[in-house]
Amino acid sequence: MNFPMHRGIRPAARLIPSVRFSSTAVTETGVAVSVVEPPPPPTTTLHDAAKIKPAFNRKVHRIHTSKHMLQDEFLNAGDLTDSARLYDYKRTGEIAASLTNIVERIAFVSPYERPWTAAERTWRRDWHPALVAPRKAWALPAVPAHFDVLNFYKYITKTHVEQGKLDELYKDLHLPTRTFKELTRASLRANLESTAFDSEADRTSALLATLLDDAVLSLVKARPQLAEQRISYKSKSEAFWVRGGFSFLYDHQEFNEVEVTQKIWNNQKYTGDDRRKLGELAFVHRDELAASVRSVKGLEPMMRESESTDVFWKLDEGKLKDELYSPRVANREMCSRVEAESHQHTVLAVKSLAGLPERITEHWRMRGEEAKETALECATAQAVATAFANLTATAHTQGFTQYNDVDAPLTTQLVLSDGRNFYFAVAQLNTLAINVELKDFPNPRHNSLRIEGPFPLYDEVNDGRFVYERKEFGLALLEYYSELGRDVDEAPMRDASSTVSMMKWPLQSLRNLLLTFPILLVAIVFWNEYLVYYVKIGLTCRWPEGAEEDPFRVFMVSDTHLLGRFRGHWVDKLKREWQMHRSYQTARQLLQPEVAFFLGDLFDEGQWSNNFLLAEYADRFEDLFSCESTKMVVLPGNHDLGFHYASA
Amino acid sequence: MVFRKYKPVSQWGKQDTRIFKAILNARNARKMPVFRVPDAVKALGVKVHDPTLPGFFDSEFVQRTEKDHRDFSQSDVTAHPLYSDTPCRLFEGSEPMSDGVDQACVISKAVLRTEFPDEIMKNALEEIDEEKVRDAILHGERYDPTLEKLPRRFDPVLFWVKHPRVHGTPVVKRGNIILDNLFRHIIFSAIGKEKLKPTQIKFNRDEPFSTTVHSAPYFLQSPLVIRGQPHLTALSVTHTTPWASKEDVELTRDESIASIAPLSPLIDFGSDHIYNKESVVARPSENLSLHSIAWTREQSQKYPWTSEQNAANAVLYTFGAAMSEAMKRGEKSLAESPVVSRGIQLVNGRLDLVAVQVNTLDLSQKEEKKNIVWLHKGVRLYMTKPYFEQMTEVEELNMDAVTKLSALLLS
């Protein structure tokens, strides 16, 4: 099968079992470069491809619905499934794997198509192929342009997002923070006073870069390996990817028809899709990071596989259609950083969210809780995009593509900030093979991201927004900021192997608050499991008014149904018995009855018990309900005496 | 019959023109309803002017609009908050010094030293990893993923050829990345060897500075303003030690400054009414002294500067930075501890390493004590390629330049 390499006719395709192709070597000149090892012979994949190979002239889509019986076609088994697409995918993967030059390989799998030249447009004739418009890609903006894009971003990157603490990922790390705090205070003050910035975005970027400087400068003595990292400021980060599963965009429902069919023929290709209308959209994210730290060796996977395979955001097609906003379409070459450099792994990306607060408050006109939730959601969405783009670029640099999936997770850390609120995230790329959604190609893996925040760097002012131009506000806040720093001076901070959580020290007061959590927990349990019975019964239960002077007080209790050995979980048993015991004894103490009648069905499993078990149940019953001051009269019920089988 | 090879698709002739004219006339003849002010506008209470009335354009409304509206207003330079009636002699690195370093020395009233003192060179880092330096250079020249549209290429020989525009990292950004990396490498090494404390030095990026000098003989009527925006501004917590001792400073009384006669030293300065009357420095509220500034300069394709002109540029910038620091401390303090500032300029893979010691703020002939400039001019760091070519390996790397740079920074 021949795949011409010229524009537009490149097959979109799929996976080959992953093999790590690249490694780092040192050339004769001493320059560390990435070299590509020849891929192993793809015997397995060829075998697979042979098995699923469809008829040579089969197309990816089925023939249109027949209008009459003469047009009926009886497809073979291969065509009834997605085998044509799967074969295409695997064959493309083989070709990609055979390209030993990484730059060539990435260019091969890139969805970029060059525009037609003037000569091609001029000299095309009717017998030439039609000049279909080149494929475009959906470009994600630098900061989310809409307030509810999180689900969309999660879907197009196949990322599972969780909000949670990152501390457990950074256990046993105790790094000095005193110097960092000193430097940060001075840097923040200098940043607020500086008149060098044309916009708040520039100011935020400069602040983030300076904070990273301070963190590295204060840590480099304790961690000399930080000097080996590559630090970039205002660095660009670009990546493309293709996401499948959008074939529903071609769904068509005739008026008054129930059935929904796919309208492929005579229907316009959706923007960003393959020219065969496969429902596989191309995306590109051109990000500018305030700073980034890259290293030769990547981070160890931080999130376990089991954590990232349980829940995933399900594709809600109806909703997604609403969420597919008109994109800023990119037609420029969708390049990825594929230079064979030694520092391939982005260990830390610092991203500025400048402009987002203004967008929320002024453009979307949100206030209060709604504004906070939206800010968190947009920051999370941006974290997803930034992390995925960075990790995809790293994977491309190492030769992995959507057809040759990564063989080990790639991990990165993120710090996002709008200049005041900080978000910290850890992301893990587990799969790149997200460009096809086929039944015969199950890919349970998905990417993960855990985010924590927001953590304000300084306190709020009265109007809820910090105004940099007002110097006195800035200084007042710095005083508060200094106080905050002093409180946590003595507490060593747990930190990451890199600098990510070096910037988390303002959060220590929150951690101190959380230390009260165990005490709070004990108090809650004591209240709910003990005191509440006295309060409830004491306030709401009393003997009838107007009784005689020496009334005879009786409790009537029935159907206690104490669980036995066979049915019920022990937790259930414990809970029920404690509640019955506590409520009965509390009522007895407060209301002082002379006699308590138990009207049968004391046990739940009395019908299945022998003498020994019955004695055991009776002892427990006595433990729970007996008391010297109240006489007990106990009657058996059908559940205690063999149910209805006793007569049989 | 006339043979017509091509038959027109449709008829077009005077009949069509007649029809179209008739349509247009009918449309023009159509009566439009009289315009009435909508009720909603009336409810707003807005005064509506009828432009069809005679004298509309002479009315006060139109006159006032033309007077007040910003589109009709003339820009007024004097309204600028930094406007001054006295024009300044401006240096902002856009014009080369015609007579090079000598001219810069005349301006700054400085004697020139072409070698760093031995005591300073002792501070140099001895073991600098060459691979790290190569990597630092390649980071800027090769690995940076910026794809910006680069300037149009000019070939001085084949000047009529229109070259394709290429995208990549701009030259200034490449140089700034390299300077960033070299600074970081040297500072980290010094911290590791306990030559420097992490809190001792602070960095600012792209922070503007401006210095205004009022002094005879040239700048008494019009002050000298040196302003720029170096990529790196390093500030030190402590005052740096003077490079020249008091005895050496006294010896400068007997030295003479280079003469550039018959040129006037002022011929290359610009003039501007808008300038800062006070010095602008980074982190003004902190008690810090300016340690060094570093920046990258891109050579013009048509009119490249000579190495002398580049060096003069570095000297004047560094002199401006040193003067701002010296003026902050005052003349009396200078007698005890002169100010030393350092400047690093990267042009086309060459470093201009400058240190300026300001011994006096008085630039006139009355004061015989002079300032001192140490200059290593155009030290080759590596061999660059034209901006439109991709560097893959660092060629002609000169580790001696890095050694001198480390000595300059750690002194």
Side-chain angles (χ1 to χ4, degrees), chain A residues 27 82 94 137 145-146 221 240 338 378 464-465 505 532 545 561 564:
Chain A
T27 61
D82 297 320
E94 288 172 20
H146 302 272
K221 198 168 180 185
F240 68 83
V338 291
C378 286
R465 181 167 167 268
W505 62 267
V532 73
E545 299 285 337
H561 280 273

Side-chain angles (χ1 to χ4, degrees), chain A residues 217-251:
Chain A
L217 203 60
S218 58
L219 272 179
V220 70
K221 198 168 180 185
R223 301 253 163 176
Q225 63 268 30
L226 280 176
E228 308 294 327
Q229 318 273 34
R230 172 164 294 155
I231 300 177
S232 308
Y233 304 97
K234 292 185 181 175
S235 59
K236 305 278 184 183
S237 166
E238 297 195 358
F240 68 83
W241 69 94
V242 179
R243 180 67 168 115
F246 287 97
S247 55
F248 66 88
L249 292 171
Y250 299 103
D251 284 354

Side-chain angles (χ1 to χ4, degrees), chain A residues 27 29-33 179 182-183 186-187 189-190 193-197 206 209-210 213-214 216-218 220-221 226-238 294 332-333 335 337 339-343, chain B residues 129 131-132 134-136 138-139 142-148 167 173 177 180-181 184-185 187-188 191-192 194 196 198-208 229 231 280 283-286 390-394:
Chain A
T27 61
T29 54
V31 181
V33 297
T179 313
E182 283 176 22
L183 293 173
S187 299
R189 186 189 295 266
E193 287 175 352
S194 175
T195 55
F197 306 111
T210 315
D213 271 348
D214 294 340
V216 176
L217 203 60
S218 58
V220 70
K221 198 168 180 185
L226 280 176
E228 308 294 327
Q229 318 273 34
R230 172 164 294 155
I231 300 177
S232 308
Y233 304 97
K234 292 185 181 175
S235 59
K236 305 278 184 183
S237 166
E238 297 195 358
R294 297 214 299 273
R332 211 179 73 191
E333 188 165 7
C335 74
R337 190 186 66 237
E339 271 288 349
E341 67 158 313
S342 52
H343 294 65
Chain B
D129 190 356
E131 276 311 307
K132 278 191 177 177
R134 284 183 187 278
D135 193 62
L138 281 181
H139 180 194
R142 183 179 178 188
Y143 302 142
D144 185 66
T146 307
L147 275 184
E148 286 180 23
H167 292 70
K173 186 170 184 183
I177 291 173
D180 263 329
N181 289 342
R184 194 182 309 112
H185 181 45
I187 298 294
F188 284 0
I191 291 174
E194 300 191 341
L196 200 67
T199 51
Q200 194 172 340
I201 202 159
K202 293 175 180 177
F203 290 105
N204 275 34
R205 284 194 184 75
D206 302 322
E207 193 74 23
Q229 194 170 13
H231 177 60
V280 176
R283 304 201 183 202
S285 62
E286 296 178 56
Q390 175 67 64
M391 178 186 284
T392 52
E393 283 184 11
V394 181

Side-chain angles (χ1 to χ4, degrees), chain B residues 245-266:
Chain B
S245 62
K246 284 184 181 177
E247 294 75 25
D248 293 337
V249 172
E250 288 302 319
L251 286 177
T252 60
R253 292 175 185 273
D254 304 330
E255 292 186 53
S256 59
I257 301 171
S259 169
I260 61 166
L263 289 183
S264 162
L266 304 179

